[in-house]
Each structure stands twice: as structure tokens, then as C-alpha cells.
Amino acid sequence: MSIYHLHIPRTAGIYVNNNVLPYLISNGIPHFASNRSFIDTDKIKEAKYVGGHFGTMPIELMDNPDVFAVVRDPVERFISYFKYTTGLIRTKSQAYQKLDNWLYGDQLEMQSNLQSKFLTGKMDIHKFNPGVTEFQKAVNNGWFIEDYSLDIQNIKNAVDQYYIYTIDNYNLFKEDLNKALKANFGFTTFKHKDKANESDDIGIQFTKSQIERVKELNSIDMEMYDYVQKIKKRY
């Protein structure tokens, strides 16, 4: 058995790594958990724990993994992700230009319904690896998640296969992931808090019309999120 943390951007995955990785390392447990490293499929095959922005790609390479994921209110996640990926932009006018691009421009399709894409699609590592150190390139290309489905029934079928929690029920996610860590590796974690998922203030406030646009663009994610809230599957 093994564990895969299917990390959707801006769903507190860095916090998971900060708590889990020290135990994996100190106990010599084979793992691969990074969003900024060259992806070697042989390492994923050998790993007992995997975590990252990979979509479903690692699942077929691993030993019958328990798959955990956290989803977030689509509007909150979109805004958080925009702020997080805009932090290095130096002027407010450039930030507004980027926002317009995400809402109405050539990034519109790439940044919409990203959570559903991660739950149904796979990272193309042959496209990711050549620019492994280029964070913004990965963002602009949706982490190279391909072969995804935006059919809501296919998305629900994917949700039914995994252990998926809303960020509002993050304590349940930690509790269940701890159960899996204990069963697989003999340890539990999450003994401290951190602020890894907070976004810097970039001086931009979303207007009501922009928030409505975010809802419109992420309507499939909204439906998926409602479904996860209802089923409440536990480990």
C-alpha cells in the first residue's frame, strides 16, 4: 500500500509537506513530494508516499495508493491562487492586467475549473520537466494537466474513488491522513500550525462583477465542490 496526496494549488498542501516530510525522511521511507523537482517516474514507482501538483498521473505508477485531496471554495481558491502567483509583479497596473487576462484573456480557459482538471487529468511530465524551475510557466500552462474531463458525471466518479475533503473540514482531512500514515508507516503528524497557505496582500480587491465572473468561469468546480460537501467520504 502507499499514499498519494493529490495536491491542488492553494489547498494547504505546503502545510502537509512541512508536517509529513520530516517523518518520511527520518524513517527512511521512499517518497517523492515536490512541485519544483525534475519528475522521475522510476522514483514515483518506488515511492510509498507521493505528493504534488501532478493530477492523477502518479496513481497508475504506485502500489494501489490511498488518494487524498483537499478542495476549496472555487472563488476563494481562484482569488488565493491569483494573489499567490502575482506576488512578484512589481506594479499594480501589471497585476490588474494579469487579472484581466485570467478573467477575459488568453489565460481564461487555463485557469478555469482547475480543481476538476486536477481530479480527472494527468500532468504531462515531458512538458513539465524541461522548465522544471520556471514556476510561472507551470502556472500559465495549468501545471501541464491534460486529458482531463469537465463532464460533471466523470468528475463525480473520480471524487467517489478518492478521499476528498473541503478545506472547511481540514481537521477531518488531517485526522484521516494521520490514520493512513499510521497504518502504512507507523507515525502520525500535524502537531503544529503554520501559515503556508496564506497569500500576500498585493493591493488588489476583487469587485462584485469580477467575483461573479470567477463564479461563471468555475461553474463546474462549483458543482464538484457542492458534491464533495454532500458525500463526506471518510478513510
Side-chain angles (χ1 to χ4, degrees), residues 9-58:
R10 306 312 290 162
T11 57
I14 295 174
Y15 171 77
V16 175
N17 282 350
N18 289 348
N19 281 271
V20 174
L21 289 185
Y23 289 91
L24 296 174
I25 293 168
S26 62
N27 287 281
I29 298 167
H31 62 278
F32 186 86
S34 174
N35 298 318
R36 310 287 179 93
S37 300
F38 182 91
I39 298 174
D40 183 340
T41 55
D42 287 336
K43 288 185 177 180
I44 292 177
K45 290 176 182 178
E46 296 168 359
K48 296 299 182 183
Y49 180 95
V50 174
H53 296 330
F54 311 135
T56 64
M57 179 272 294

Side-chain angles (χ1 to χ4, degrees), residues 35-39 88 127-139 143-144:
N35 298 318
R36 310 287 179 93
S37 300
F38 182 91
I39 298 174
L88 295 179
K127 293 180 179 178
F128 173 80
N129 277 338
V132 64
T133 60
E134 301 176 55
F135 172 71
Q136 200 60 52
K137 183 177 180 181
V139 171
W143 292 90
F144 301 99

Side-chain angles (χ1 to χ4, degrees), residues 188-203:
T188 59
T189 182
F190 301 117
K191 296 177 174 64
H192 66 85
K193 298 180 180 180
D194 69 21
K195 300 179 179 180
N197 206 51
E198 293 188 357
S199 300
D200 293 333
D201 183 3
I202 59 172

Side-chain angles (χ1 to χ4, degrees), residues 2 4 12 39 49 53 84 86 95 101 104 112 117-119 124 131 138 156 173 175 177 192 230 233:
S2 55
Y4 173 42
I39 298 174
Y49 180 95
H53 296 330
Y84 180 70
T86 307
N101 202 19
Y104 303 100
S112 299
K117 293 173 182 176
F118 266 77
L119 293 173
D124 186 331
K156 289 179 178 179
F173 164 74
E175 181 181 322
L177 183 55
H192 66 85
K230 291 175 183 176
K233 181 179 177 180

